[in-house]
Amino acid sequence: MWIRMLAAMLAATLLLIALLSANPDYRLFMPGLLDGAVLTVEITLLGAVLAVFMALIAALAKLYGPLPIRWLSTTYIEIFRGTSALVQLFWLYFVLPQFGIFLDAFVVAVLALGLNIGAYGAEVVRGAIVSVARGQWEASIALNMSQAQMLRRIILPQAFAAMIPPWGNLFIELVKSTSLVSLITLADLTFKAQQMNQTTLKTVPVFTLVLLIYLAISLTVTIGMRLLEQRASRGLTRGRVA
């Protein structure tokens, strides 16, 4: 039911964008805004991949790594959760060159947002792992599984279903955080909107379209995560029945 409602909202949003684009005052801005939206989606996708990778590595390191690795993982998580994403973005883009490290603005955007969301995601992964029923751990030990086998075959598949809803929220935050990359000269959706607004002073059509495009992207992410959650839940139920 929820997925159908979200799909209806997405369809209504896309229809409204199409209807507004037929208006001459709005049509003028669509090509440029869509170019910016493509860059926003690219940063979101690559940032999401990095975030999931870092979250998984940091969570497992914090739970099962030797003490120095646990400290390193905890340091990463606390620094990136405890400081502003904007400051992290500026630090990578403006401070690293002071040490002779020059990164492309696109790379900085993916790194900063991916590492930021990954730090929050690490706690999601850790919480999902430790929430798996104690009986599952004991059964794995009784089957004489190694820790790696236990995690891969028993614990992580069950924890995965619990991770999906909070990860959906984090991915939405990632979409919204991409607006910060306009401050390091990347021509994303927000940058294009600001540029057009300053040039034409047509604030209402520009930012109405931007709002709707961001909403369409966020609804697409939400629907995708809801579908993934449904599939994971069905798989987990079948596994229990079997």
Side-chain angles (χ1 to χ4, degrees):
M1 181 182 72
W2 285 107
I3 292 177
R4 284 198 292 269
M5 288 178 60
L6 291 169
M9 289 178 62
L10 176 59
T13 302
L14 294 175
L15 179 60
L16 184 54
I17 292 173
L19 291 174
L20 289 175
S21 299
N23 185 308
D25 286 339
Y26 289 80
R27 187 187 310 130
L28 174 67
F29 306 112
M30 277 305 297
L33 291 178
L34 289 177
D35 285 343
V38 169
L39 183 60
T40 292
V41 170
E42 289 175 352
I43 294 171
T44 298
L45 291 176
L46 292 175
V49 171
L50 177 61
V52 171
F53 175 77
M54 290 302 300
L56 186 59
I57 296 300
L60 292 177
K62 188 173 181 179
L63 285 170
Y64 305 110
L67 190 58
I69 299 298
R70 292 186 191 184
W71 285 347
L72 184 62
S73 172
T74 300
T75 300
Y76 155 66
I77 292 170
E78 295 307 322
I79 287 176
F80 279 89
R81 286 201 314 162
T83 58
S84 164
L86 179 60
V87 173
Q88 294 161 19
L89 195 69
F90 282 175
W91 203 92
L92 292 175
Y93 191 69
F94 295 113
V95 177
L96 282 185
Q98 306 300 317
F99 299 96
I101 302 173
F102 297 87
L103 298 175
D104 179 75
F106 182 83
V107 174
V108 167
V110 172
L111 280 177
L113 298 183
L115 291 172
N116 180 269
I117 297 299
Y120 289 94
E123 289 301 291
V124 170
V125 174
R126 186 191 62 81
I129 289 174
V130 300
S131 70
V132 174
R134 189 66 193 169
Q136 300 294 318
W137 297 87
E138 293 170 353
S140 303
I141 294 170
L143 292 172
N144 201 29
M145 288 184 176
S146 67
Q147 190 175 76
Q149 289 175 324
M150 184 190 312
L151 286 169
R152 187 177 69 253
R153 296 181 181 180
I154 306 297
I155 305 304
L156 284 178
Q158 295 184 57
F160 178 69
M163 295 178 200
I164 296 175
W167 267 111
N169 293 332
L170 290 178
F171 288 151
I172 295 298
E173 287 300 317
L174 178 57
V175 172
K176 294 187 291 186
S177 295
T178 57
S179 62
L180 299 175
V181 307
S182 63
L183 299 174
I184 58 169
T185 73
L186 282 177
D188 73 317
L189 182 55
T190 299
F191 182 92
K192 291 282 190 179
Q194 291 172 335
Q195 197 175 50
M196 291 175 180
N197 183 52
Q198 290 171 359
T199 303
T200 65
L201 299 179
K202 293 190 175 182
T203 304
V204 173
V206 169
F207 286 105
T208 298
L209 286 173
V210 169
L211 185 147
L212 291 172
I213 292 171
Y214 271 119
L215 179 59
I217 295 171
S218 297
L219 285 172
T220 302
V221 171
T222 302
I223 291 169
M225 295 304 290
R226 287 293 177 92
L227 289 172
L228 186 59
E229 183 183 357
Q230 270 192 0
R231 184 171 180 178
S233 298
R234 284 200 299 267
L236 191 59
T237 302
R238 284 198 298 269
R240 286 173 177 168
V241 171

